[in-house]
Amino acid sequence: QQQQQQQHNHQQPQLRSSAAAAANPRRASNAHGNRVAPAGQPAVTRSRSALARFRDNHLQRIQHHLHHKLDLLSEHRPFFLYWFMFVQICVLIATINTYGVVDVTLTKKVQSEEVIGPNGVFEVAYRNSTTNYFVGPSRHDLLLLGAKFAPCMRTDSNVVQKVLEPQKIEESAFGCCTRQGGELCYSTTQQNCTGLQDFYANKTCAGPHCCIEPSQYPNCERIPEASLPPDAAYDSCRCTLTARPCCLGRYGQCILTTKERCDFERGYYSDSAELCSQVDCMQAVCGLGEFAKKEHPDQWYRLILPMFMSVGVIHLVLLLLAEVAIGLDLERMAGWHRFGPIFIISGIGGYMISGILLPYNVEMGSNGCIYGLLGALIVELINAWQRIEDPFYQVFKLVVVIAFSLGIGLLPYVDNFSHIGGLVFGLVSSVFFLPWRAFGSWDRARKHLFGIAAAIGVFVMFAVGLPLFFTDQKTQCSWCAALNCVDFVQGLCAEQDQQNPF
């Protein structure tokens, strides 16, 4: 009986193991606890199924980790974009409060008025009405606030050779034209001194011959009127000037005229100077503080200031909508410390390209910055290509947005070349600044290499572009204006000063 009981106890574990194997083939094992192959299943199949389970589990862990990291990226607050939009709104409010709003039309009207000329005779003066279809100040007022305009940022060879030097040559032939017995006078050429007037050649009115030390003219001590010789030639020292320098236009043009005419033509009148050579008209037109050296513009910061400006109310609304639609989610994903550099680099790079190819257009706005964000979206689309359900549809949407923006860039005040430049700089800088996740050591090394190459690329573009802008002025193209402005209304581009004047 004891032998039979021992044999029964020995057979029970084997029966339980066989029953378990029949119920769950995957968990079949022998009496020692080792798994055994279920009946009819080869060992190779079991090995492959184990590898598949391991692979699926590994991929699930990677996806869970990646989604967790991406969720963390979305927790950033768009502080930079909120701050930038607030500054844009404040700048436009202050601008309109200071300078007002001009006519909201596409075409200019010629206005005329009779004014007193230097010779005491009434003459007709003409001027074009100022317009801004974006509902904002005039172009001259925006220029004073810091709009992009290359002649205010560097010494422009065309301005010097075709405006300033001819004015100096003409001034060298000036004499003093007196009238009313020598009481009133103005400096001009002999051809313009007609009628009952006397002309004294080689002696400008209140010129060096009226100084105790002529070498110190114009900042010299004048000879007292009682000490002047009674000779009529010294009437040019006793007379009252009726014409002083008036700066007109945007390229340093200067004429000697009355204050009444200068004010009507919206010029900058100098009450203290006597000749155009004594004033810096480019400084008067550009504003924003004095140049370090006379007639040598150096306002390089106009590469930055226009980003915070807008042409008018409509332009600002369009910019804010684009910044919200494109920038908010991007900054939430990347953070302000990555988003901000991409935004600023794109804006500066865009205005640098625009200044090289279209130096004489007055432009402002964050258009280049917005295009830089589009470049960042392209980079992010490439990085997330495998995780997007329909990537080609996203590409199509980006192409439509870019094409629509380029179409808007064909209007005056909006610069297509700052768009293109901002897109390029934003695309390259985003490769360096945007966050990324690596899948293995090789992928990490590859993305590190791309980031370093992108940083070098941005540095090289600025290293080449800035010298081109500030020194080499032969890079202008005659056909660039056709890509920047189209006459939707006949004569629109010419009336809005969108053509090269030189």
Side-chain angles (χ1 to χ4, degrees):
Q1 291 178 354
Q2 291 179 355
Q3 290 177 354
Q4 290 177 356
Q5 183 66 31
Q6 291 176 357
Q7 185 177 3
H8 176 74
N9 294 337
H10 178 71
Q11 289 176 351
Q12 286 299 322
Q14 295 180 352
L15 293 174
R16 287 195 298 269
S17 178
S18 298
N24 189 3
R26 292 186 178 182
R27 298 183 61 85
S29 59
N30 56 20
H32 299 287
N34 298 324
R35 291 187 178 182
V36 297
Q41 183 175 0
V44 176
T45 304
R46 297 196 309 274
S47 176
R48 289 178 178 174
S49 62
L51 289 175
R53 290 195 304 274
F54 176 78
R55 180 192 61 192
D56 293 341
N57 293 334
H58 183 64
L59 290 177
Q60 288 178 0
R61 288 195 299 270
I62 291 177
Q63 290 179 355
H64 177 74
H65 179 72
L66 180 61
H67 290 160
H68 176 68
K69 292 297 184 182
L70 292 177
D71 291 339
L72 292 177
L73 290 175
S74 62
E75 294 179 359
H76 294 288
R77 296 292 184 268
F79 296 120
F80 178 87
L81 194 57
Y82 286 153
W83 167 79
F84 187 84
M85 294 165 60
F86 175 75
V87 173
Q88 283 182 300
I89 295 172
C90 292
V91 168
L92 182 61
I93 292 175
T95 302
I96 293 178
N97 184 59
T98 303
Y99 296 104
V101 176
V102 296
D103 295 338
V104 186
T105 59
L106 291 176
T107 57
K108 295 181 180 181
K109 297 179 181 179
V110 178
Q111 300 172 341
S112 61
E113 184 177 305
E114 284 193 348
V115 297
I116 297 179
N119 56 2
V121 179
F122 279 95
E123 56 188 28
V124 180
Y126 299 92
R127 71 178 182 188
N128 290 325
S129 62
T130 56
T131 63
N132 185 343
Y133 53 84
F134 282 114
V135 188
S138 67
R139 191 182 300 267
H140 294 283
D141 297 332
L142 294 172
L143 183 59
L144 289 173
L145 290 174
K148 184 226 81 181
F149 186 58
C152 292
M153 305 163 69
R154 66 186 185 191
T155 301
D156 191 276
S157 58
N158 284 324
V159 172
V160 173
Q161 296 172 7
K162 299 179 181 180
V163 177
L164 300 182
E165 290 183 356
Q167 287 179 173
K168 293 178 181 179
I169 294 174
E170 182 183 14
E171 189 175 290
S172 64
F174 275 7
C176 187
C177 184
T178 62
R179 61 186 178 89
Q180 294 184 4
E183 294 182 3
L184 303 177
C185 60
Y186 62 99
S187 298
T188 185
T189 59
Q190 188 171 4
Q191 291 79 4
N192 295 328
C193 186
T194 58
L196 300 177
Q197 302 179 103
D198 298 321
F199 182 77
Y200 300 95
N202 301 324
K203 290 183 179 181
T204 57
C205 301
H209 63 288
C210 302
C211 297
I212 297 177
E213 292 292 337
S215 61
Q216 298 179 1
Y217 178 82
N219 300 317
C220 63
E221 183 180 354
R222 303 286 176 168
I223 300 175
E225 184 174 351
S227 302
L228 290 173
D231 189 355
Y234 283 90
D235 287 345
S236 59
C237 299
R238 286 184 285 262
C239 60
T240 302
L241 287 174
T242 59
R244 292 184 182 272
C246 175
C247 299
L248 299 171
R250 300 200 305 268
Y251 305 103
Q253 299 97 323
C254 180
I255 61 173
L256 297 180
T257 187
T258 60
K259 188 177 187 305
E260 183 181 2
R261 178 176 178 178
C262 188
D263 292 341
F264 175 75
E265 296 186 5
R266 300 190 183 93
Y268 301 94
Y269 189 78
S270 176
D271 292 315
S272 57
E274 298 152 1
L275 298 172
C276 286
S277 59
Q278 299 171 10
V279 298
D280 189 349
C281 282
M282 286 306 304
Q283 176 65 77
V285 170
C286 297
L288 291 181
E290 297 183 358
F291 301 148
K293 186 177 180 181
K294 182 182 177 182
E295 296 183 354
H296 287 77
D298 52 8
Q299 296 176 353
W300 54 268
Y301 42 83
R302 288 179 182 266
L303 289 173
I304 303 174
L305 292 181
M307 293 186 290
F308 299 90
M309 301 172 58
S310 52
V311 180
V313 176
I314 298 177
H315 189 215
L316 178 62
V317 172
L318 294 176
L319 293 177
L320 295 179
L321 291 176
E323 290 165 0
V324 170
I326 302 173
L328 281 181
D329 289 338
L330 191 60
E331 187 174 357
R332 286 194 181 104
M333 184 272 294
W336 68 268
H337 57 292
R338 296 186 182 95
F339 179 88
I342 296 173
F343 197 87
I344 298 298
I345 289 174
S346 301
I348 296 176
Y351 279 119
M352 182 186 71
I353 299 299
S354 173
I356 293 173
L357 299 177
L358 293 173
Y360 305 113
N361 286 16
V362 179
E363 310 289 355
M364 67 230 67
S366 59
N367 309 69
C369 306
I370 295 172
Y371 257 78
L373 299 184
L374 290 176
L377 288 182
I378 294 175
V379 173
E380 182 61 21
L381 178 61
I382 296 174
N383 289 336
W385 189 270
Q386 301 296 333
R387 303 194 305 271
I388 298 176
E389 295 182 0
D390 191 356
F392 291 100
Y393 176 66
Q394 302 300 327
V395 172
F396 173 75
K397 290 199 301 184
L398 279 177
V399 171
V400 170
V401 171
I402 293 173
F404 177 75
S405 300
L406 289 176
I408 295 179
L410 296 176
L411 293 172
Y413 289 101
V414 186
D415 190 356
N416 256 342
F417 287 95
S418 68
H419 291 176
I420 298 173
L423 178 65
V424 174
F425 276 86
L427 187 69
V428 178
S429 61
S430 297
V431 177
F432 177 78
F433 285 106
L434 283 183
W436 46 265
R437 295 298 167 190
F439 301 94
S441 58
W442 163 247
D443 189 50
R444 181 181 300 276
R446 180 175 62 87
K447 291 181 177 178
H448 272 303
L449 182 62
F450 283 163
I452 294 173
I456 295 175
V458 172
F459 175 80
V460 170
M461 286 191 294
F462 277 119
V464 174
L466 291 175
L468 281 177
F469 174 71
F470 285 105
T471 59
D472 184 11
Q473 301 177 25
K474 299 179 181 179
T475 53
Q476 305 168 29
C477 60
S478 57
W479 50 268
C480 287
L483 297 178
N484 194 60
C485 185
V486 173
D487 284 327
F488 296 103
V489 178
Q490 185 177 3
L492 174 64
C493 296
E495 290 186 356
Q496 297 296 331
D497 301 324
Q498 295 294 299
Q499 297 178 349
N500 190 334
F502 302 108

